[in-house]
Short mmCIF file of all heavy atoms in Angstrom, two decimals:
data_model
loop_
_atom_site.label_atom_id
_atom_site.label_comp_id
_atom_site.label_asym_id
_atom_site.label_seq_id
_atom_site.Cartn_x
_atom_site.Cartn_y
_atom_site.Cartn_z
N THR A 1 85.99 88.33 169.67
CA THR A 1 85.01 89.35 169.42
C THR A 1 85.52 90.66 169.00
O THR A 1 84.74 91.47 168.57
CB THR A 1 84.07 89.47 170.67
OG1 THR A 1 84.89 89.80 171.75
CG2 THR A 1 83.23 88.30 170.95
N SER A 2 86.87 90.83 169.14
CA SER A 2 87.44 92.07 168.81
C SER A 2 87.32 92.44 167.23
O SER A 2 87.39 93.50 166.82
CB SER A 2 88.95 92.16 169.18
OG SER A 2 89.59 91.19 168.36
N MET A 3 87.07 91.27 166.50
CA MET A 3 86.82 91.42 165.06
C MET A 3 85.52 92.16 164.77
O MET A 3 85.22 92.63 163.65
CB MET A 3 86.83 90.08 164.40
CG MET A 3 88.06 89.27 164.60
SD MET A 3 87.85 87.63 163.81
CE MET A 3 89.38 86.88 164.25
N LEU A 4 84.57 92.15 165.86
CA LEU A 4 83.17 92.55 165.67
C LEU A 4 82.72 93.78 166.40
O LEU A 4 81.96 94.53 165.91
CB LEU A 4 82.31 91.42 165.87
CG LEU A 4 82.71 90.00 165.37
CD1 LEU A 4 81.78 88.96 165.98
CD2 LEU A 4 82.77 89.97 163.90
N GLU A 5 83.31 93.95 167.52
CA GLU A 5 82.82 95.01 168.44
C GLU A 5 83.76 96.04 168.79
O GLU A 5 84.95 95.92 168.63
CB GLU A 5 82.40 94.31 169.80
CG GLU A 5 81.34 93.21 169.64
CD GLU A 5 81.16 92.41 170.95
OE1 GLU A 5 81.84 92.70 171.87
OE2 GLU A 5 80.24 91.59 170.95
N ARG A 6 83.29 97.25 169.20
CA ARG A 6 84.01 98.33 169.52
C ARG A 6 83.74 98.70 171.02
O ARG A 6 82.55 98.84 171.34
CB ARG A 6 83.82 99.60 168.60
CG ARG A 6 84.19 99.36 167.21
CD ARG A 6 84.09 100.57 166.47
NE ARG A 6 85.07 101.63 166.91
CZ ARG A 6 86.22 101.82 166.52
NH1 ARG A 6 86.70 100.96 165.64
NH2 ARG A 6 86.92 102.79 167.04
N PRO A 7 84.77 98.96 171.81
CA PRO A 7 84.49 99.55 173.16
C PRO A 7 84.08 100.89 173.13
O PRO A 7 84.27 101.67 172.13
CB PRO A 7 85.83 99.26 173.81
CG PRO A 7 86.80 99.43 172.79
CD PRO A 7 86.22 98.86 171.53
N PRO A 8 83.52 101.42 174.22
CA PRO A 8 83.19 102.84 174.33
C PRO A 8 84.43 103.69 174.35
O PRO A 8 85.52 103.35 174.72
CB PRO A 8 82.50 102.92 175.72
CG PRO A 8 82.93 101.77 176.49
CD PRO A 8 83.19 100.65 175.47
N ASP A 9 84.31 104.88 173.81
CA ASP A 9 85.40 105.86 173.75
C ASP A 9 85.79 106.37 175.15
O ASP A 9 84.95 106.40 176.05
CB ASP A 9 85.04 107.01 172.88
CG ASP A 9 84.86 106.69 171.41
OD1 ASP A 9 85.40 105.66 170.94
OD2 ASP A 9 84.06 107.34 170.71
N PHE A 10 87.00 106.83 175.25
CA PHE A 10 87.44 107.41 176.47
C PHE A 10 86.65 108.71 176.81
O PHE A 10 86.43 109.52 175.86
CB PHE A 10 88.99 107.58 176.46
CG PHE A 10 89.84 106.45 176.59
CD1 PHE A 10 90.49 106.04 175.45
CD2 PHE A 10 89.94 105.88 177.78
CE1 PHE A 10 91.30 104.91 175.56
CE2 PHE A 10 90.68 104.69 177.97
CZ PHE A 10 91.42 104.17 176.85
N ASP A 11 86.43 109.00 177.97
CA ASP A 11 85.81 110.34 178.41
C ASP A 11 86.92 111.20 179.02
O ASP A 11 87.10 111.15 180.24
CB ASP A 11 84.67 110.04 179.37
CG ASP A 11 83.88 111.34 179.56
OD1 ASP A 11 84.42 112.39 179.22
OD2 ASP A 11 82.64 111.26 180.05
N PHE A 12 87.66 111.82 178.19
CA PHE A 12 88.78 112.64 178.65
C PHE A 12 88.27 113.78 179.57
O PHE A 12 88.95 114.34 180.47
CB PHE A 12 89.63 113.26 177.53
CG PHE A 12 90.42 112.21 176.80
CD1 PHE A 12 90.03 111.69 175.63
CD2 PHE A 12 91.61 111.72 177.35
CE1 PHE A 12 90.72 110.73 174.98
CE2 PHE A 12 92.35 110.73 176.74
CZ PHE A 12 91.97 110.25 175.48
N VAL A 13 87.06 114.33 179.29
CA VAL A 13 86.56 115.37 180.17
C VAL A 13 86.37 115.00 181.61
O VAL A 13 86.79 115.69 182.49
CB VAL A 13 85.15 115.87 179.52
CG1 VAL A 13 84.61 116.93 180.44
CG2 VAL A 13 85.41 116.40 178.12
N ASP A 14 85.72 113.85 181.80
CA ASP A 14 85.57 113.40 183.22
C ASP A 14 86.85 113.09 183.82
O ASP A 14 87.02 113.26 185.05
CB ASP A 14 84.68 112.17 183.22
CG ASP A 14 83.19 112.52 183.10
OD1 ASP A 14 82.85 113.69 183.07
OD2 ASP A 14 82.32 111.56 182.89
N LEU A 15 87.85 112.64 183.08
CA LEU A 15 89.11 112.19 183.61
C LEU A 15 89.98 113.42 184.01
O LEU A 15 90.72 113.34 185.06
CB LEU A 15 89.90 111.40 182.63
CG LEU A 15 91.26 110.87 183.06
CD1 LEU A 15 91.05 109.83 184.21
CD2 LEU A 15 91.92 110.14 181.87
N TYR A 16 89.84 114.51 183.21
CA TYR A 16 90.83 115.63 183.46
C TYR A 16 90.14 116.92 184.12
O TYR A 16 90.82 117.82 184.59
CB TYR A 16 91.38 115.93 182.27
CG TYR A 16 92.52 115.03 181.91
CD1 TYR A 16 92.42 113.89 181.15
CD2 TYR A 16 93.91 115.26 182.37
CE1 TYR A 16 93.39 113.00 180.81
CE2 TYR A 16 94.92 114.30 182.18
CZ TYR A 16 94.68 113.23 181.36
OH TYR A 16 95.68 112.33 181.13
N ILE A 17 88.81 116.97 184.01
CA ILE A 17 88.20 118.22 184.45
C ILE A 17 87.32 117.91 185.70
O ILE A 17 86.28 117.25 185.51
CB ILE A 17 87.42 118.95 183.35
CG1 ILE A 17 88.17 119.28 182.22
CG2 ILE A 17 86.67 120.21 183.88
CD1 ILE A 17 87.57 120.04 181.00
N PRO A 18 87.68 118.26 186.87
CA PRO A 18 87.07 117.83 188.09
C PRO A 18 85.82 118.75 188.40
O PRO A 18 85.92 119.83 188.99
CB PRO A 18 88.08 117.99 189.18
CG PRO A 18 88.94 119.05 188.65
CD PRO A 18 88.93 119.05 187.15
N SER A 19 84.70 118.38 188.04
CA SER A 19 83.46 119.13 188.39
C SER A 19 83.27 119.18 189.92
O SER A 19 82.67 120.05 190.52
CB SER A 19 82.18 118.58 187.69
OG SER A 19 82.04 117.19 188.12
N ASN A 20 83.86 118.11 190.57
CA ASN A 20 83.76 118.05 192.08
C ASN A 20 85.15 117.57 192.54
O ASN A 20 85.43 116.45 192.54
CB ASN A 20 82.60 117.01 192.45
CG ASN A 20 82.58 117.04 193.97
OD1 ASN A 20 83.36 117.59 194.70
ND2 ASN A 20 81.56 116.29 194.46
N PRO A 21 86.01 118.57 192.86
CA PRO A 21 87.32 118.20 193.27
C PRO A 21 87.35 117.23 194.47
O PRO A 21 88.31 116.39 194.55
CB PRO A 21 88.01 119.57 193.55
CG PRO A 21 87.18 120.55 192.98
CD PRO A 21 85.78 120.02 192.92
N PHE A 22 86.38 117.38 195.32
CA PHE A 22 86.41 116.45 196.49
C PHE A 22 86.15 115.03 196.14
O PHE A 22 86.68 114.08 196.71
CB PHE A 22 85.52 116.99 197.56
CG PHE A 22 85.80 118.29 198.07
CD1 PHE A 22 85.10 119.48 197.51
CD2 PHE A 22 86.82 118.54 199.03
CE1 PHE A 22 85.43 120.76 198.06
CE2 PHE A 22 87.12 119.86 199.40
CZ PHE A 22 86.44 120.87 198.94
N ASN A 23 85.31 114.81 195.03
CA ASN A 23 85.02 113.49 194.61
C ASN A 23 86.38 113.00 193.89
O ASN A 23 86.64 111.76 194.07
CB ASN A 23 83.94 113.55 193.50
CG ASN A 23 83.62 112.11 192.97
OD1 ASN A 23 83.10 111.31 193.63
ND2 ASN A 23 83.95 112.02 191.61
N SER A 24 87.05 113.76 193.15
CA SER A 24 88.35 113.37 192.61
C SER A 24 89.35 113.03 193.60
O SER A 24 90.02 111.94 193.50
CB SER A 24 88.88 114.48 191.73
OG SER A 24 87.94 114.84 190.67
N LEU A 25 89.40 113.68 194.73
CA LEU A 25 90.28 113.38 195.86
C LEU A 25 89.92 112.00 196.49
O LEU A 25 90.70 111.18 196.74
CB LEU A 25 90.28 114.46 196.84
CG LEU A 25 91.09 115.76 196.42
CD1 LEU A 25 90.71 116.90 197.36
CD2 LEU A 25 92.54 115.43 196.56
N ALA A 26 88.55 111.88 196.73
CA ALA A 26 88.15 110.70 197.43
C ALA A 26 88.30 109.46 196.48
O ALA A 26 88.54 108.32 197.04
CB ALA A 26 86.65 110.82 197.76
N ASN A 27 88.17 109.51 195.14
CA ASN A 27 88.25 108.40 194.26
C ASN A 27 89.63 108.39 193.59
O ASN A 27 89.71 107.48 192.74
CB ASN A 27 87.22 108.47 193.27
CG ASN A 27 85.74 108.33 193.85
OD1 ASN A 27 85.39 107.13 194.15
ND2 ASN A 27 85.07 109.36 194.06
N ASN A 28 90.51 109.07 194.07
CA ASN A 28 91.97 108.90 193.48
C ASN A 28 92.17 109.23 192.05
O ASN A 28 92.84 108.48 191.38
CB ASN A 28 92.57 107.54 194.01
CG ASN A 28 94.08 107.53 194.07
OD1 ASN A 28 94.63 108.54 194.49
ND2 ASN A 28 94.72 106.42 193.61
N ILE A 29 91.42 110.16 191.53
CA ILE A 29 91.44 110.50 190.15
C ILE A 29 92.53 111.54 189.96
O ILE A 29 92.31 112.78 190.03
CB ILE A 29 90.05 111.00 189.72
CG1 ILE A 29 88.90 110.04 189.89
CG2 ILE A 29 90.10 111.34 188.12
CD1 ILE A 29 87.55 110.55 189.57
N VAL A 30 93.76 110.96 189.89
CA VAL A 30 94.92 111.88 189.96
C VAL A 30 94.95 112.99 188.86
O VAL A 30 95.26 114.10 189.25
CB VAL A 30 96.24 110.96 189.91
CG1 VAL A 30 97.40 111.85 190.00
CG2 VAL A 30 96.21 110.02 191.04
N PRO A 31 94.73 112.65 187.65
CA PRO A 31 94.73 113.76 186.62
C PRO A 31 93.89 114.93 187.00
O PRO A 31 94.24 116.11 186.84
CB PRO A 31 94.23 113.10 185.34
CG PRO A 31 94.69 111.69 185.56
CD PRO A 31 94.47 111.38 186.91
N ALA A 32 92.72 114.71 187.45
CA ALA A 32 91.76 115.76 187.82
C ALA A 32 92.20 116.47 189.05
O ALA A 32 92.13 117.70 189.18
CB ALA A 32 90.39 115.17 188.16
N VAL A 33 92.84 115.79 190.01
CA VAL A 33 93.45 116.48 191.25
C VAL A 33 94.51 117.34 190.84
O VAL A 33 94.63 118.48 191.35
CB VAL A 33 93.81 115.37 192.26
CG1 VAL A 33 94.63 115.98 193.41
CG2 VAL A 33 92.72 114.63 192.82
N VAL A 34 95.38 116.90 189.90
CA VAL A 34 96.58 117.68 189.51
C VAL A 34 96.13 118.94 188.84
O VAL A 34 96.54 120.05 189.03
CB VAL A 34 97.49 116.90 188.62
CG1 VAL A 34 98.55 117.74 187.96
CG2 VAL A 34 98.12 115.76 189.37
N LEU A 35 95.04 118.82 187.87
CA LEU A 35 94.54 119.92 187.22
C LEU A 35 93.91 120.97 188.17
O LEU A 35 94.16 122.21 188.04
CB LEU A 35 93.57 119.51 186.13
CG LEU A 35 92.95 120.70 185.29
CD1 LEU A 35 94.01 121.52 184.49
CD2 LEU A 35 91.81 120.23 184.29
N PHE A 36 93.22 120.55 189.06
CA PHE A 36 92.70 121.34 190.09
C PHE A 36 93.64 122.14 190.94
O PHE A 36 93.62 123.32 191.12
CB PHE A 36 91.81 120.47 191.06
CG PHE A 36 91.21 121.22 192.22
CD1 PHE A 36 90.30 122.23 192.12
CD2 PHE A 36 91.63 120.83 193.53
CE1 PHE A 36 89.88 122.87 193.27
CE2 PHE A 36 91.21 121.49 194.59
CZ PHE A 36 90.29 122.52 194.48
N SER A 37 94.83 121.45 191.24
CA SER A 37 95.89 122.05 192.05
C SER A 37 96.57 123.07 191.24
O SER A 37 97.00 124.12 191.68
CB SER A 37 96.81 120.92 192.52
OG SER A 37 96.09 119.92 193.21
N ILE A 38 96.80 122.76 189.86
CA ILE A 38 97.45 123.79 189.02
C ILE A 38 96.66 125.00 188.87
O ILE A 38 97.21 126.10 188.95
CB ILE A 38 97.76 123.03 187.60
CG1 ILE A 38 98.77 122.01 187.69
CG2 ILE A 38 98.07 124.20 186.57
CD1 ILE A 38 98.98 121.25 186.53
N VAL A 39 95.29 124.92 188.71
CA VAL A 39 94.41 126.05 188.59
C VAL A 39 94.47 126.90 189.86
O VAL A 39 94.69 128.10 189.80
CB VAL A 39 92.97 125.58 188.28
CG1 VAL A 39 92.03 126.78 188.46
CG2 VAL A 39 92.89 124.91 187.02
N LEU A 40 94.50 126.19 191.07
CA LEU A 40 94.55 126.92 192.27
C LEU A 40 95.94 127.66 192.47
O LEU A 40 96.06 128.86 192.86
CB LEU A 40 94.44 126.08 193.52
CG LEU A 40 92.99 125.52 193.70
CD1 LEU A 40 93.01 124.65 195.00
CD2 LEU A 40 91.98 126.63 193.85
N GLY A 41 97.06 126.93 192.03
CA GLY A 41 98.35 127.47 192.12
C GLY A 41 98.51 128.71 191.17
O GLY A 41 99.17 129.78 191.63
N VAL A 42 98.02 128.60 189.99
CA VAL A 42 98.16 129.79 189.05
C VAL A 42 97.31 130.86 189.54
O VAL A 42 97.74 132.05 189.46
CB VAL A 42 97.68 129.30 187.65
CG1 VAL A 42 97.46 130.56 186.67
CG2 VAL A 42 98.61 128.25 186.98
#
């Protein structure tokens, strides 16, 4: 079926921008946790 169908696009915003950092921590979303930590550190 790869000849015919396309999967949904990646949602980079949800992956990298943590609207809820505690949710990212609880669900092991590492990119979002790292970005949150960098923002706090800066």
Side-chain angles (χ1 to χ4, degrees):
T1 55
S2 65
M3 302 175 184
L4 318 174
E5 300 172 355
R6 295 187 64 86
D9 295 332
F10 286 107
D11 191 342
F12 288 102
V13 174
D14 282 351
L15 183 63
Y16 282 91
I17 301 180
S19 60
N20 182 351
F22 299 102
N23 178 69
S24 300
L25 284 164
N27 291 282
N28 205 33
I29 306 175
V30 179
V33 172
V34 170
L35 180 60
F36 172 67
S37 304
I38 290 174
V39 171
L40 289 182
V42 171

